[in-house]
Amino acid sequence: EKMAELSLKEAALIVGVVAACYWNSLFCGFVFDDVSAILDNKDLHPSTPLKNLFQNDFWGTPMSEERSHKSYRPLTVLTFRLNYLFSELNAVSYHFLNLVFHAVVCVVFLKVCKLFLDNRSSVIASLLFAVHPIHTEAVTGVVGRAELLSSIFFLAAFLSYTKSKGPDNTIVWTPIAVTVVLVAVATLCKEQGITVVGICCVYEVFIAQGYTLPVLLDTALQILRGKGSIPFSMLQTLLKLIVLMFSTLLLVVVRVQVIQSQLPVFTRFDNPAAVSPSPARQLTFNYLLPVNAWLLLNPSELCCDWTMGTIPLVESLLDVRNIATLTFFCFLGSLIVFSLRYPGDSSKTVLMALCLIVLPFIPASNLFFPVGFVVAERVLYVPSMGFCILVAHGWKKLSNKSMLRKISWVCLAAVLLTHALKTLHRNWDWESEYTLFMSALKVNKNNAKLWNNVGHALENEKNFERALQFFIQATQVQPDDIGAHMNVGRTYKNLNKTKEAEESYLIAKSLMPQIIPGKKYAARVAPNHLNVYINLANLIRANESRLEEADQLYRQAISMRPDFKQAYISRGELLLKMNKPLKAKEAYLRALELDRTNADLWYNLAIVYIELKDPTEALKNFNRALELNPTHKLALFNSALLMQESGDALLRPEAKQRLLHYVKEEPQDANGYFNLGMLAMDDKKDTEAEAWMKKAIRLQPNFRSALFNLALLYSQTAKELLALPVLEDLLKYYPDHTKGLILKGDILMNQKKDIVGAKACFEKILELDPNNVQGKHNLCVVYFEERDLIKAEKCLVETLALAPHEEYIQRHLNIVRSKIASLSTTEQSSLPADGTASAGEKKKSFQNLKEVKTKEKTTQTTVDNDKGHSKSKKQAEKNNMDKVTPKKSTKEIKDIEEKRVAALKRLEEIERILNGE
């Protein structure tokens, strides 16, 4: 059959109309299902092996896992990955590609229309398809790309098949082989692609061969009565159909293998009718057919989510909505009878239109297996092609009548214009999650999921008070919605209302299936609902007296699903908090059995080994985490700290590299720069250390350890006067910083000769800690400088009582006493200005003063369990703490010894002066 050619003008018109209707989709973000399929899907990242795309579902979950939706669309995910490669998570490129694909579908559809309609009607059908508002979900929602890609190959497969009939009704096998390949590709984009085989079969029998149903029945009867044989042309047709069916069967077998013969698990909230008893289930599923037809006829009220209570169940034969079902089936039946009984072009056109409407819709119809939605506008993308052909065909019939010609043109123009404007307006609803779900609530207020999702959108903007109102409304619309109660609990927690949060979590927990011995829970409990145990445990474990209770909740979650990885992770954190590192290690090892590719788990195990005082194993596990995720920030930071603390100079270059990588990932975190400064101090690179410390202080002006260590660095490199303003800043933020006060007093005493200022520093130290030996000794030196020997003596006696084993205090006391005794004969000598932290003690104090800033070793959590209907990653909190320098290396101990020897020589010098030698 000769295929009508496409003109460039027609194609340009269609593409122009698509661009005019969808240009504003480029300004939309990632919303609704895009979050799971794009933002949270690791399969998009270049670091993920390509083979994972063929092992995981559309959302990045392994097909083997029970929580998988079993939607296998690797080629669609591949296009997302290409987007990510060029623009990462810039939504514009994703929306632009969708727009291009929709334009391609419209042009290919025009080519298909020309097989059954005249030129003008074909253009009208294609224009109606291009502007129909029902397509906004498929085109403007990024995940709708599965429909667009599948449709391109679906139509291409059909066009290829139409070329399989050669002259004199011979079979041309090449187009059939191409069709089979294109069907496989369409199915790898979205499952419904396989339905094109049914359309090809109908086309072959009723269009290509020109049979009608009466002719087929008559031939069959003749053969059965033995009055005739099967005509050769019919045998050829049968052969083509057998090849098509066999290849389809092969595809179905492969697809069943891929989903591992398991159907996805959906909850009663996703599709209430699927779990309803008869006749409610059948009546509701049949009523959904006219609902979908009405959306095609009148797409004025569109909604992104039709689950839960959107369409109340049809529970009785007396329900008035059954009239709509009856009317729909009567109309559909009359069209089928007309198209199959009568020969002629009109019936052929109607038949192909019906095939395009009915066959691609069958997988979403709930007739053969339950699906995870009630109505979904995007699945009407291909069925709407048949609808557009029917409308264009009907319009042609009307416009051929002279009386109706003008009115038919006016009506057509009105329909195209209103649809185009509705599409343009509808695109703006997809701009953000808030706009999308608020637009849905205008159409439908009985869907708890919509209230929840508006709440999530507000929650993401940190507007917890308003989010709470929407979550509470969700619990009122659907009182048994576990997720809604979890959302209320989480929001109360964010508002620091722990009592109310616990109450909400307990309500959610009470709605969970009760424990029945020997019953498998996995199939009965939605994985995200099990998070109620995690959330409640996380809430109550903040109370030290309820840690055992929290552990019991984690164990309960594990008993309900032994493969619930998050329960092991959270329990491991709790056991660490309970000071049970060995049990924590067991929990993490169990979680690693379930997922060895989780970098956070290896990181957490490293933290356990640190608690178990096994730094070698800890470092190995940090390294495993970094092999899996080279940008794992906490692993980079804490492994660098571990190397730094080991005192092994050979590990310092690698520690530095990791810290440099960390500051590249977290350029606003002062801790990274501070620790680079500490490494430089260890390597005696004073200028580099100064630069890193200054950078840390610029980012965090009140960074206690950075301020102190910079001042210490200046004092150790004979830049004491530069240290003073830094110490002033430190003491402005932390007036009680003892070491800062000692250092400041020392500099004032020795460099500025400001005895009054130094005295104030040391007195302040003794106010804070009357037993501070260093501060008290230095105050004694101040009294000596003030020539108050009696007070100096009394002070040294008190200091010696605090530290009776410190030999230098005893010697200084002896010197002061000998001065008092020889006062009448010898002119008073002065204690050298260097005497604040006298001799070796001062030098040693520098070593002890050096503060190391580290992050509290916090375990990393993979999932934000609090989300009732969504998932996201929770970064472990990073706390800082001051810490005395850890265990020293041999080289550092040698350095200290050298300084101590030098200090003792200095002590002898001071004592000679004190003795007036």
Side-chain angles (χ1 to χ4, degrees):
E1 175 168 326
K2 189 175 183 304
M3 204 172 289
E5 289 304 313
L6 259 180
S7 77
L8 197 63
K9 212 181 279 182
E10 288 167 343
L13 172 69
I14 300 295
V15 171
V17 168
V18 168
C21 284
Y22 286 100
W23 63 269
N24 58 338
S25 70
L26 301 179
F27 300 97
C28 298
F30 294 116
V31 295
F32 202 20
D33 289 342
D34 299 347
V35 176
S36 303
I38 312 290
L39 301 182
D40 297 342
N41 191 347
K42 287 181 181 169
D43 286 351
L44 270 62
H45 302 171
S47 57
T48 305
L50 266 175
K51 65 179 172 65
N52 284 26
L53 270 66
F54 295 90
Q55 293 171 349
N56 297 347
D57 68 12
F58 190 49
W59 318 96
T61 309
M63 291 293 285
S64 55
E65 286 193 19
E66 190 213 348
R67 63 194 174 96
S68 165
H69 275 226
K70 311 297 179 192
S71 41
Y72 188 65
R73 302 164 194 172
L75 296 185
T76 307
V77 180
L78 190 62
T79 66
F80 292 150
R81 189 168 168 133
L82 287 171
N83 271 121
Y84 189 91
L85 197 65
F86 287 110
S87 66
E88 293 205 345
L89 293 175
N90 178 3
V92 176
S93 79
Y94 293 79
H95 287 294
F96 178 72
L97 206 53
N98 272 24
L99 193 156
V100 169
F101 287 144
H102 181 52
V104 172
V105 174
C106 294
V107 172
V108 180
F109 175 56
L110 174 59
K111 207 168 171 65
V112 171
C113 289
K114 291 193 175 197
L115 295 170
F116 315 111
L117 295 167
D118 60 37
N119 241 19
R120 183 188 288 167
S121 302
S122 297
V123 172
I124 285 163
S126 188
L127 281 173
L128 182 58
F129 181 78
V131 303
H132 204 297
I134 202 79
H135 301 154
T136 46
E137 183 171 335
V139 182
T140 312
V142 179
V143 292
R145 186 178 298 176
E147 315 290 336
L148 309 176
L149 277 174
S150 181
S151 300
I152 292 171
F153 296 109
F154 178 102
L155 295 174
F158 177 67
L159 284 173
S160 175
Y161 187 79
T162 59
K163 296 173 183 172
S164 66
K165 183 182 172 185
D168 302 324
N169 210 16
T170 53
I171 301 173
V172 186
W173 288 106
T174 309
I176 295 176
V178 171
T179 298
V180 171
V181 171
L182 288 170
V183 170
V185 172
T187 309
L188 289 173
C189 293
K190 193 176 181 192
E191 297 76 7
Q192 70 189 30
I194 204 165
T195 58
V196 73
V197 173
I199 293 167
C200 291
C201 291
V202 173
Y203 173 84
E204 178 64 36
V205 174
F206 295 101
I207 313 295
Q209 302 301 329
Y211 296 120
T212 60
L213 200 59
V215 170
L216 287 172
L217 289 171
D218 191 46
T219 310
L221 281 169
Q222 295 287 347
I223 293 161
L224 287 170
R225 287 175 185 160
K227 289 183 178 177
S229 59
I230 301 172
F232 181 67
S233 64
M234 203 173 271
L235 282 171
Q236 279 192 312
T237 303
L238 273 172
L239 180 62
K240 283 168 86 171
L241 296 186
I242 287 165
V243 169
L244 264 185
M245 289 301 185
F246 182 75
S247 55
T248 308
L249 197 64
L250 208 63
L251 273 176
V252 170
V253 169
V254 170
R255 183 69 175 83
V256 169
Q257 284 297 309
V258 164
I259 66 167
Q260 311 209 344
S261 306
Q262 289 179 321
L263 282 173
V265 177
F266 297 115
T267 66
R268 61 198 167 89
F269 301 117
D270 296 321
N271 189 349
V275 292
S276 300
S278 298
R281 183 165 69 246
Q282 289 78 10
L283 290 174
T284 306
F285 283 156
N286 282 304
Y287 171 65
L288 293 179
L289 301 174
V291 168
N292 280 286
W294 181 248
L295 283 173
L296 287 172
L297 272 170
N298 176 28
S300 59
E301 292 195 330
L302 299 177
C303 179
C304 62
D305 192 314
W306 294 79
T307 52
M308 290 191 152
T310 307
I311 297 172
L313 296 172
V314 181
E315 295 181 287
S316 157
L317 288 165
L318 301 175
D319 194 308
V320 72
R321 289 174 294 173
N322 290 318
I323 297 169
T325 310
L326 209 60
T327 308
F328 170 79
F329 278 112
C330 287
F331 182 67
L332 187 68
S334 59
L335 283 176
I336 290 169
V337 169
F338 166 76
S339 62
L340 291 176
R341 267 192 79 171
Y342 305 108
D345 290 342
S346 184
S347 59
K348 287 179 180 179
T349 303
V350 171
L351 179 64
M352 289 316 295
L354 287 175
C355 282
L356 276 167
I357 291 172
V358 174
L359 295 177
F361 186 72
I362 285 173
S365 65
N366 286 290
L367 296 175
F368 295 102
F369 47 83
V371 291
F373 53 82
V374 179
V375 172
E377 289 160 18
R378 62 176 174 267
V379 303
L380 291 172
Y381 190 77
V382 178
S384 68
M385 292 177 187
F387 170 78
C388 292
I389 290 175
L390 271 184
V391 171
H393 183 57
W395 174 85
K396 179 188 158 191
K397 296 274 187 200
L398 288 174
S399 65
N400 283 345
K401 295 179 180 174
S402 54
M403 287 170 61
L404 299 171
R405 185 171 290 130
K406 278 187 181 174
I407 198 161
S408 67
W409 275 102
V410 170
C411 288
L412 176 70
V415 166
L416 289 175
L417 185 65
T418 52
H419 278 45
L421 290 172
K422 172 69 179 175
T423 298
L424 198 64
H425 181 260
R426 174 71 174 149
N427 287 335
W428 289 120
D429 290 343
W430 291 80
E431 189 178 4
S432 69
E433 297 228 308
Y434 180 75
T435 54
L436 180 66
F437 298 125
M438 284 305 284
S439 73
L441 279 176
K442 287 175 192 167
V443 174
N444 160 28
K445 291 184 168 54
N446 296 323
N447 184 341
K449 200 169 171 184
L450 293 174
W451 293 100
N452 277 319
N453 283 328
V454 176
H456 285 314
L458 290 165
E459 186 181 35
N460 291 338
E461 294 167 10
K462 302 283 183 269
N463 190 345
F464 298 123
E465 293 285 356
R466 274 197 74 204
L468 184 62
Q469 293 166 14
F470 282 90
F471 289 142
I472 288 172
Q473 183 64 37
T475 63
Q476 289 166 359
V477 167
Q478 187 95 32
D480 59 349
D481 180 11
I482 296 169
H485 290 288
M486 286 165 68
N487 291 336
V488 172
R490 185 184 61 257
T491 313
Y492 274 131
K493 185 185 171 189
N494 288 331
L495 291 166
N496 294 318
K497 296 182 176 179
T498 48
K499 184 172 173 287
E500 292 89 340
E502 188 175 343
E503 284 168 8
S504 295
Y505 284 143
L506 286 169
I507 293 170
K509 182 170 168 274
S510 70
L511 293 167
M512 293 290 284
Q514 297 308 301
I515 290 174
I516 304 164
K519 192 86 173 174
K520 188 187 175 205
Y521 297 97
R524 299 168 59 232
V525 183
N528 63 326
H529 287 169
L530 270 177
N531 283 327
V532 69
Y533 294 102
I534 308 295
N535 297 345
L536 185 55
N538 289 350
L539 182 75
I540 64 175
R541 79 184 205 189
N543 182 341
E544 294 289 332
S545 64
R546 300 180 71 183
L547 298 182
E548 286 294 344
E549 195 181 333
D551 190 32
Q552 180 60 39
L553 285 163
Y554 291 135
R555 293 205 302 271
Q556 197 172 345
I558 290 166
S559 73
M560 293 184 87
R561 271 189 86 108
D563 63 344
F564 189 25
K565 181 177 68 187
Q566 192 53 45
Y568 293 106
I569 295 172
S570 298
R571 185 163 184 246
E573 291 173 15
L574 177 72
L575 291 165
L576 267 183
K577 189 174 180 180
M578 293 167 80
N579 203 21
K580 296 179 181 176
L582 286 170
K583 282 193 171 182
K585 179 179 157 187
E586 274 174 37
Y588 288 134
L589 288 172
R590 180 73 185 90
L592 278 167
E593 284 172 28
L594 298 168
D595 182 7
R596 296 194 71 78
T597 61
N598 187 323
D600 297 335
L601 279 173
W602 292 104
Y603 170 83
N604 289 1
L605 195 56
I607 298 301
V608 172
Y609 280 116
I610 287 175
E611 293 297 320
L612 291 168
K613 306 285 186 289
D614 189 345
T616 312
E617 276 301 312
L619 196 54
K620 275 185 199 169
N621 285 287
F622 279 139
N623 292 340
R624 285 297 297 272
L626 289 167
E627 280 168 27
L628 291 163
N629 178 6
T631 60
H632 195 292
K633 295 170 194 171
L634 288 173
L636 283 168
F637 186 89
N638 281 307
S639 63
L641 271 191
L642 198 60
M643 291 172 174
Q644 191 177 353
E645 288 174 9
S646 71
D648 185 347
L650 295 173
L651 289 175
R652 276 190 213 145
E654 177 59 22
K656 183 178 179 179
Q657 284 310 308
R658 290 189 184 186
L659 286 171
L660 286 169
H661 194 161
Y662 176 79
V663 296
K664 187 181 168 191
E665 294 293 322
E666 282 284 339
Q668 296 305 308
D669 186 3
N671 293 288
Y673 301 106
F674 167 76
N675 281 287
L676 278 165
M678 295 305 289
L679 265 178
M681 281 177 81
D682 288 344
D683 286 334
K684 308 290 182 288
K685 295 177 181 172
D686 299 332
T687 313
E688 191 183 318
E690 181 185 351
W692 289 124
M693 291 294 182
K694 281 181 172 176
K695 191 150 192 179
I697 292 162
R698 268 200 303 278
L699 285 169
Q700 191 181 325
N702 65 340
F703 196 153
R704 174 182 165 133
S705 298
L707 286 164
F708 178 77
N709 281 292
L710 179 60
L712 186 60
L713 178 68
Y714 282 142
S715 70
Q716 286 177 324
T717 52
K719 296 178 184 172
E720 287 91 342
L721 296 181
L722 287 175
L724 269 181
V726 180
L727 287 166
E728 291 294 345
D729 284 343
L730 172 70
L731 295 167
K732 178 177 78 181
Y733 294 115
Y734 308 102
D736 302 346
H737 197 290
T738 309
K739 295 173 187 174
L741 287 165
I742 286 173
L743 190 54
K744 183 185 173 186
D746 178 70
I747 294 168
L748 288 174
M749 187 83 170
N750 297 313
Q751 302 302 318
K752 301 280 280 185
K753 309 300 179 194
D754 179 359
I755 293 169
V756 176
K759 185 178 183 180
C761 289
F762 302 138
E763 283 175 342
K764 171 80 174 172
I765 292 165
L766 294 176
E767 269 177 44
L768 299 168
D769 177 13
N771 296 330
N772 188 299
V773 175
Q774 214 173 339
K776 196 161 181 72
H777 175 268
N778 290 359
L779 186 61
C780 303
V781 176
V782 170
Y783 293 149
F784 191 90
E785 285 293 320
E786 290 178 336
R787 307 289 191 268
D788 193 339
L789 295 180
I790 304 298
K791 205 168 186 180
E793 182 194 22
K794 185 185 174 216
C795 176
L796 284 164
V797 168
E798 290 169 2
T799 311
L800 191 61
L802 291 172
H805 304 299
E806 290 290 358
E807 192 190 336
Y808 74 95
I809 300 173
Q810 181 64 63
R811 276 208 301 275
H812 289 179
L813 179 59
N814 293 342
I815 292 166
V816 170
R817 281 176 173 165
S818 69
K819 278 289 166 198
I820 293 168
S822 62
L823 194 60
S824 56
T825 56
T826 312
E827 190 184 343
Q828 278 192 14
S829 176
S830 69
L831 196 94
D834 187 60
T836 43
S838 186
E841 182 55 30
K842 176 190 167 191
K843 292 294 175 188
K844 280 185 283 180
S845 78
F846 279 142
Q847 291 300 322
N848 295 326
L849 280 170
K850 185 174 173 188
E851 293 185 28
V852 175
K853 189 79 161 150
T854 182
K855 288 196 179 172
E856 186 179 302
K857 292 172 178 77
T858 318
T859 48
Q860 174 97 356
T861 308
T862 321
V863 179
D864 180 353
N865 312 301
D866 281 24
K867 293 268 177 180
H869 284 290
S870 66
K871 55 180 181 175
S872 73
K873 187 165 179 185
K874 183 179 104 185
Q875 261 292 354
E877 193 181 315
K878 299 178 285 187
N879 293 330
N880 301 323
M881 59 185 236
D882 285 339
K883 190 173 102 175
V884 175
T885 304
K887 192 173 70 178
K888 298 285 174 193
S889 67
T890 317
K891 184 174 179 297
E892 285 174 307
I893 292 166
K894 202 170 161 189
D895 286 348
I896 295 167
E897 285 303 326
E898 285 171 8
K899 285 179 182 174
R900 196 169 285 147
V901 170
L904 287 169
K905 283 182 185 171
R906 191 84 172 275
L907 180 58
E908 288 166 17
E909 191 68 34
I910 291 164
E911 286 170 355
R912 269 206 307 278
I913 295 164
L914 281 169
N915 290 323
E917 289 174 11

